[in-house]
Amino acid sequence: MQELLTITFVLQTLRITIPYLLPSLGAVYSEKGGVVNIALEGILLSGAFAAAAGTYYTGNVLFGILCGVIAGILISLIHSIITITFKANQIVSGIALNIFAFGFTKFFCKILFGSSSNSERIPGLETLNLPFNPFLLICVLILAVTYFVIYKTKFGLRLRAVGENPEAADSLGINVNSIRYIGVLISGALGGLGGAWLAMDQHSFTDGMSAGRGYIALAAMIIGKWNPLGAAAACLLFGLAESFTLQFQDSGIPTQFIQLLPYVLTIIVLAGFIGKANPPAADGIPYDKKD
Amino acid sequence: MNGKLANLCWESKEDNLVRLNKYIIYTTGPVISIILSLVIGGVLIAVIGQDPFEVYIKLFGETLGNTYGIGQVLFKATPLILTGLSVAFAFRAGLFNIGAEGQLTVGAFASAWAGFTFVSLPWIILIPLCVLAGFLAGAFWAGIAGYLKARFGSHEVINTIMLNFIALAVVSYLVNNVYMVPATIHTPEISPNAVLLRFDIITGLFKGSPFNLSFIIALAACFVIYFLIQKTPFGYRIKTLGFNANAAEYAKMNVKKLTISAMAITGGLAGLGGLNFVNGYKHYFELGFSENAGYVGIAVALIARNNPFAIVVIAVFFGILEYGGLTVNTLVPKEIVTILQGVIILLIITFTKIFDKKIKLKKA
C-alpha cells in the first residue's frame, strides 16, 4: 500500500492518463455535435510525429507542440469535409484516416530521419517529473474549460443541439454543419496536443506510438457517458490500472488483463449494466438538409 | 446508416439495361478514386525527389510481370477476400462489422492451436478441423457482438471495435504466457498434416511464392456466400433484415436469432482468413501477422459493393498494393502503399456519396 502513495506512482499515473484524457475530451466535443471521431487514433499519431519533427528542426519545444496541434486539426479537417460536407460514413472515414496516418507518419519518418520506425532524439519536456509540471496544469484547465463550454455557454448549447436533434436546431437558424465542423476541429486540436505530449514525454517519435490510445479515449468517453468529467474519471481509472501493472510487474496479474479492462468496461456500459448509456441522439448520423 | 449501406448492395433481379447502367456508375467512382489516389501518391513521390513513373512502373511490373509476383499478390489477397466477404455479409444483414481484425486474430490462433494440438491426426481430418476451428473461433467472437445487439440493443460498431482489442489481449496472453516456444515469439509448429500446400509445390507455378491452397478456400467461401444469400430462404431473411429490420419483425422473423447467426457467419468468414498465414505460409501463429487485413477488408467490401465476386477482384487489387510496396522499397518507403490505401478509401466513400446522390436526383 505504501508504494501506491509515493509521488512517483502518482506522477506516473498522471503521465499515463494525459494522452488518454486529451483525446477523450476531444471525442466529447466531436460526439456531442453528432460526429463519431474514430480518427483520433491517427490524430494522436500525426500529432506526435509533427511535434517530434517540429521540435527537431527548430529546437523549440513550444513550436513542436504547436505543430502537433496543427497536424491534429488538419486530419480532423479531412474527417469533417468527408463526413459533414459529403456526409460519408463516419466510421469508415475514421478508419481510413487511421490507416493513412499510420502510413504517412512512417513514410515521412523514413524521409526525415532515415528510419521508418523512430525519429532522432528531441529535447522534449524536461519538467515532466516535477510535481507541478505546466502540461498537467494545462490539462486540468482544459478539462474545466471543456465542462464549462459544453454545459454553460451558447456554443455548448448549440453543439449539444446539433448532436441531439439537428432538424430542430436547423429550424431555429443554427448552422448545423459549421457547429459540427467546430466540434470536430476542436477534437483534432486536443488529439494533436495529446500526441505532442506522447512525443515530448518519450523524447522521440516511434511508429505506431499512439498504440490504441485513440480508441481507449473513445472508450473512456463512452464509459463517462459523453460527459467530460465522466470521461476524465474513466481516463484516470485506466491510468491507475496501467500504472499499477507497471509498479507491480511481478504481481502475477498478466498485463494483458489490465490492457483489456477499458474495452470490457465499455461493452458492459453499452449493454446498460451500469446505468443507462445515452449517446447524443443524432450521434453518427450525417445531417441531410431536406430542401 | 446500416440500412443505407445495405441499399447500395448488388441486386440480381433487374433488367439488363438498368443493371448495366448501375455497373457503370458503380465502377466510375472506384476507378476515379484509384486514379486520383495514384496521382496524389505520385505527388508525394515527386516531393521526396523520386520519379513517380519509375516507381509505379516498377510497382506494377514486379507484381504482375512475373509468376512469382502474381503468386505474392494472390497470397496477400487471400485473407482480404475473406475479411472483405465477412464485412460484406454483415452489410447485407444491415450490420457493420468492424471486428474482422479481431475475428481474424482469434480464428488464426484457433487454426494454429488445432494444428499443433492434434498432431497425430491424418490430414484428411486435421485440415477440416483447422478450418472448422478458425471458423468457429471467429464465429464465437463476432457472435458476442451479435448477442449483445440482440439482447441489449447495444450497437455492434463500438462492440466489435472493443472486441478487436480484447481479442488482441487474449491471444497475446495465450501466445506469450501459455504456448510460446522459448526463444521465439510464436507458437509451436503445426503438424505437417495440417499444412495447406503451396501452389509452387503442387504445380511448379508461382515458383518461390507462398501462394497456397487457402486461396481455394477463400474462393469457395465466395461461392457459398453468393449461393446462401441469393438462393436460400435464410439468405432471403438476411436480406430482409438488411433492408428493414422492422419489416423483418412484422414478417414474424426471429430478428434476434437472425442477428446473432448473421454475426456468427460474418465472424466465421473472417476467422478463416488466418489459414493463409498459419496453415499455408509460416505453419505457426505469431502476433502482427494480419497486417491490418481486418480493416482493409472494410474497404474491399465497400468498393466491391458487397458483391462476392467483385470482392475477389478488389482484394487482388489491394494485394498488388501490399506486395507492390515491398518491390519499390528501395526507391520510396514502402509505406507509400499504406498511404494509398487510406486515400483510396477516403476518396471512394466521398465519390460514392456524390454519385449516389446523382442517381437519386435522376430518379426523382
Side-chain angles (χ1 to χ4, degrees):
Chain A
M1 218 39 218
Q2 211 102 67
E3 283 171 85
L4 279 178
L5 295 172
T6 59
I7 266 276
T8 349
F9 181 81
V10 173
L11 283 179
Q12 178 174 267
T13 305
L14 294 172
R15 239 189 76 222
I16 297 171
T17 305
I18 289 173
Y20 295 147
L21 178 64
L22 290 170
S24 198
L25 293 176
V28 172
Y29 280 101
S30 179
E31 299 224 359
K32 278 286 180 196
V35 181
V36 178
N37 193 357
I38 290 193
L40 276 169
E41 177 73 12
I43 288 172
L44 272 172
L45 200 55
S46 314
F49 179 73
T55 310
Y56 180 74
Y57 280 100
T58 62
N60 185 332
V61 171
L62 278 179
F63 180 77
I65 293 174
L66 184 68
C67 287
V69 172
I70 291 172
I73 292 176
L74 286 177
I75 300 276
S76 64
L77 181 64
I78 303 175
H79 188 60
S80 334
I81 293 172
I82 289 173
T83 62
I84 302 172
T85 303
F86 290 106
K87 306 178 201 320
N89 187 291
Q90 299 169 0
I91 306 282
V92 181
S93 168
I95 289 171
L97 282 168
N98 291 343
I99 294 175
F100 172 79
F102 184 74
F104 193 81
T105 50
K106 279 188 82 146
F107 183 87
F108 279 99
C109 196
K110 172 94 182 181
I111 300 299
L112 298 182
F113 300 106
S115 152
S116 63
S117 52
N118 57 279
S119 74
E120 302 278 334
R121 194 180 158 79
I122 54 165
L125 288 174
E126 295 299 348
T127 53
L128 296 187
N129 291 320
L130 298 173
F132 295 102
N133 80 65
F135 217 101
L136 193 60
L137 294 175
I138 290 171
C139 285
V140 175
L141 197 66
I142 290 176
L143 172 61
V145 168
T146 299
Y147 184 83
F148 182 79
V149 165
I150 286 184
Y151 293 106
K152 309 282 175 201
T153 65
K154 202 160 116 186
F155 168 74
L157 183 65
R158 288 180 172 182
L159 187 70
R160 284 181 289 139
V162 301
E164 285 292 341
N165 192 338
E167 287 82 9
D170 194 7
S171 70
L172 291 173
I174 297 172
N175 188 333
V176 175
N177 283 1
S178 36
I179 299 281
R180 285 188 167 182
Y181 259 89
I182 296 171
V184 178
L185 293 181
I186 295 176
S187 87
L190 291 176
L193 187 62
W197 161 270
L198 283 176
M200 295 302 163
D201 186 38
Q202 195 189 284
H203 290 267
S204 68
F205 170 83
T206 42
D207 66 318
M209 75 187 300
S210 51
R213 286 186 179 87
Y215 292 103
I216 294 190
L218 278 177
M221 179 212 63
I222 295 169
I223 294 169
K225 314 234 166 111
W226 286 263
N227 179 315
L229 298 179
C235 289
L236 194 60
L237 175 72
F238 300 160
L240 265 173
E242 221 178 298
S243 190
F244 182 82
T245 43
L246 284 176
Q247 196 86 353
F248 303 100
Q249 280 184 337
D250 43 358
S251 65
I253 305 170
T255 48
Q256 290 94 347
F257 291 140
I258 299 291
Q259 282 165 6
L260 55 76
L261 180 78
Y263 310 117
V264 174
L265 270 178
T266 306
I267 289 178
I268 293 173
V269 167
L270 274 180
F273 285 120
I274 308 173
K276 189 102 190 76
N278 269 330
D283 201 12
I285 308 164
Y287 177 57
D288 221 342
K289 196 170 179 167
K290 306 273 184 302
D291 292 309
Chain B
M1 168 180 72
N2 293 329
K4 274 186 193 155
L5 281 165
N7 277 327
L8 303 179
C9 60
W10 181 76
E11 268 313 301
S12 59
K13 283 171 192 155
E14 281 165 313
D15 67 74
N16 285 333
L17 196 67
V18 172
R19 213 194 230 184
L20 186 71
N21 241 326
K22 213 164 163 183
Y23 277 137
I24 292 171
I25 293 166
Y26 281 5
T27 39
T28 317
V31 168
I32 296 177
S33 308
I34 288 168
I35 293 172
L36 204 56
S37 68
L38 290 177
V39 172
I40 294 173
V43 172
L44 267 184
I45 294 168
V47 163
I48 63 162
Q50 290 287 347
D51 178 4
F53 293 101
E54 190 190 347
V55 171
Y56 283 139
I57 287 168
K58 192 162 185 218
L59 193 152
F60 289 106
E62 289 195 13
T63 46
L64 300 175
N66 58 67
T67 59
Y68 171 74
I70 294 172
Q72 284 283 7
V73 166
L74 295 174
F75 168 74
K76 297 270 184 198
T78 305
L80 299 180
I81 294 173
L82 287 161
T83 53
L85 197 60
S86 161
V87 178
F89 185 79
F91 276 149
R92 297 306 304 255
L95 297 162
F96 196 171
N97 178 27
I98 311 189
E101 187 73 18
Q103 295 141 20
L104 175 65
T105 305
V106 293
F109 180 80
S111 295
W113 177 83
F116 66 68
T117 305
F118 306 104
V119 280
S120 51
L121 292 175
W123 69 269
I124 193 130
I125 299 173
L126 191 51
I127 287 181
L129 193 67
C130 288
V131 174
L132 193 69
F135 186 90
L136 288 180
F140 170 72
W141 208 250
I144 298 174
Y147 173 78
L148 288 166
K149 179 164 182 125
R151 175 76 175 76
F152 303 105
S154 52
H155 208 292
E156 77 278 4
V157 166
I158 306 285
N159 280 335
T160 49
I161 294 174
M162 297 302 140
L163 282 165
N164 282 342
F165 290 99
I166 298 173
L168 209 59
V170 169
V171 172
S172 149
Y173 172 76
L174 288 173
V175 172
N176 291 317
N177 301 32
V178 185
Y179 290 107
M180 184 150 58
V181 176
T184 69
I185 50 160
H186 58 72
T187 65
E189 290 221 0
I190 57 172
S191 152
N193 290 339
V195 169
L196 290 163
L197 288 178
R198 286 159 60 143
F199 281 107
D200 63 348
I201 294 170
I202 307 169
T203 63
L205 295 169
F206 311 108
K207 207 86 201 136
S209 79
F211 177 41
N212 62 74
L213 283 173
S214 59
F215 183 73
I216 304 294
I217 294 175
L219 287 188
C222 291
F223 278 101
V224 170
I225 290 301
Y226 171 78
F227 182 80
L228 189 70
I229 290 182
Q230 302 296 353
K231 311 282 179 199
T232 67
F234 176 73
Y236 178 76
R237 288 200 288 273
I238 290 285
K239 279 190 287 186
T240 312
L241 180 68
F243 278 120
N244 189 334
N246 292 332
E249 190 96 55
Y250 282 128
K252 296 209 166 55
M253 292 177 187
N254 187 336
V255 169
K256 290 185 174 178
K257 212 170 125 192
L258 210 51
T259 303
I260 298 173
S261 34
M263 275 314 278
I265 293 174
T266 286
L269 290 168
L272 291 177
L275 292 168
N276 186 49
F277 180 89
V278 170
N279 300 62
Y281 178 38
K282 289 284 193 185
H283 307 158
Y284 53 70
F285 176 90
E286 73 182 357
L287 288 165
F289 75 97
S290 82
E291 295 176 318
N292 277 335
Y295 295 109
V296 177
I298 298 171
V300 172
L302 280 174
I303 302 170
R305 298 258 177 173
N306 305 332
N307 177 335
F309 304 112
I311 282 172
V312 178
V313 178
I314 305 299
V316 169
F317 172 75
F318 275 88
I320 295 173
L321 285 186
E322 284 192 5
Y323 179 63
L326 299 174
T327 67
V328 296
N329 205 17
T330 49
L331 299 173
V332 290
K334 64 176 189 298
E335 285 74 27
I336 183 75
V337 299
T338 318
I339 298 177
L340 286 179
Q341 283 178 352
V343 173
I344 289 173
I345 303 172
L346 292 173
L347 290 175
I348 279 182
I349 56 173
T350 309
F351 279 114
T352 305
K353 277 285 162 191
I354 297 173
F355 281 108
D356 286 355
K357 210 167 195 176
K358 285 228 166 95
I359 298 173
K360 262 186 213 157
L361 287 178
K362 253 185 202 166
K363 275 184 186 164

